[in-house]
Amino acid sequence: MLLLSSTTRAEPQRVVSLNLCTDQLVLALAAPQQIAAVSKLAGDELLSNYVKEALQYPSVGKDAEKIVGFNPDLVLATNYTDPILAAWLQRFGYHYKPYELPQQLSAVPAYIQDVAELLGQGDRGRQMTAEFQQRLSKLDNTLPPVRVAVVSANLYVAGGGTLPDQLLRRMGAINVAALDIANGWGYVSLEQLLSWQPDYILMQRDSLNGASRAEQVLSHRALQVLLEKGRRINVPAKYWICAGPELVDAAELINRRILELEHGE
């Protein structure tokens, strides 16, 4: 569980974000003048929801010298950040805050609010979390028990307990991969995917090459026979790659498209 810090700090004025996922919240919550730099991926149209905003700021990677050149008073990252870089920043006294991304939908609001408080933007955080919860609650049990598979490149599928699984179950759908993969993501064979007999396949696209490889598998004749035309739904990876408020965008897209297809639209 994410806990808010009890330590009172001045509102940071030179925030550097080192990870795509912290980029998204910084760009959404911070005042423009607070942001010093974001990661290079913040400008990637396939992965980022705030490309236009990100391009207004310098980008950083793993270059410690470039990072400290901004004289940051807050550095945000995730547990995927280079541990050597993280240790170096902490050793030299920079206010470095790494986040472990939420694995549960119920933890997303606390994650958003924690970042907002750290930025001195508590009111914006409360507004964002309230909107997230309200939009998500409107989708509860709105789908029939259709069988759905969430597939990324090379038949990497979302099993039980993953965020896509939680979204599908909350809406009333069945994540067929969870029948064999009880927890987390995993690779499956085409034969295994076919055996699940999904009504819908949700395609997660996170790169042009990845989409191409996945398309090759999904164009297999056996799968085309199984799926009616239009029963494949493309979901941009940027909607659920970061376990943030954009998850509800993914849920709304999936919900809307399945209901359209179920009603023959």
Side-chain angles (χ1 to χ4, degrees), residues 109-229:
Y111 164 56
I112 295 171
Q113 192 60 38
D114 194 82
V115 175
E117 296 290 345
L118 205 56
L119 293 169
Q121 301 293 344
D123 288 344
R124 291 185 183 182
R126 282 182 282 275
Q127 181 179 355
M128 179 180 284
T129 57
E131 180 182 345
F132 174 81
Q133 292 171 313
Q134 182 181 43
R135 289 170 63 192
L136 199 57
S137 66
K138 289 181 179 179
L139 301 176
D140 286 347
N141 301 309
T142 51
L143 291 179
V146 291
R147 299 169 61 83
V148 181
V150 180
V151 183
S152 189
N154 300 322
L155 291 181
Y156 192 52
V157 301
T162 59
L163 288 169
D165 174 68
Q166 293 171 53
L167 287 174
L168 289 171
R169 286 191 289 108
R170 182 159 179 169
M171 291 188 287
I174 299 169
N175 175 21
V176 292
L179 302 174
D180 289 334
I181 303 174
N183 187 42
W185 291 74
Y187 291 99
V188 298
S189 65
L190 178 60
E191 291 73 22
Q192 189 172 10
L193 177 59
L194 289 169
S195 73
W196 292 334
Q197 297 185 313
D199 298 311
Y200 297 95
I201 286 184
L202 306 184
M203 276 286 299
Q204 177 175 300
R205 298 187 174 197
D206 54 10
S207 71
L208 293 177
N209 289 334
S212 177
R213 290 194 300 271
E215 287 284 357
Q216 289 175 9
V217 174
L218 294 180
S219 64
H220 191 282
R221 180 183 299 178
L223 196 54
Q224 290 302 310
V225 170
L226 175 65
L227 292 178
E228 297 175 13
K229 184 178 180 181

Side-chain angles (χ1 to χ4, degrees), residues 236-247:
K238 65 182 181 181
Y239 282 174
W240 54 20
I241 195 172
C242 281
E246 298 81 13
L247 285 169

Side-chain angles (χ1 to χ4, degrees), residues 97-117:
K97 175 64 175 178
Y99 281 94
E100 182 173 351
L101 297 178
Q103 300 299 310
Q104 300 293 323
L105 278 176
S106 59
V108 173
Y111 164 56
I112 295 171
Q113 192 60 38
D114 194 82
V115 175
E117 296 290 345

Side-chain angles (χ1 to χ4, degrees), residues 71-89:
N71 191 26
D73 52 4
L74 175 62
V75 180
L76 293 178
T78 70
N79 54 337
Y80 295 107
T81 300
D82 183 347
I84 296 176
L85 174 60
W88 190 92
L89 290 168

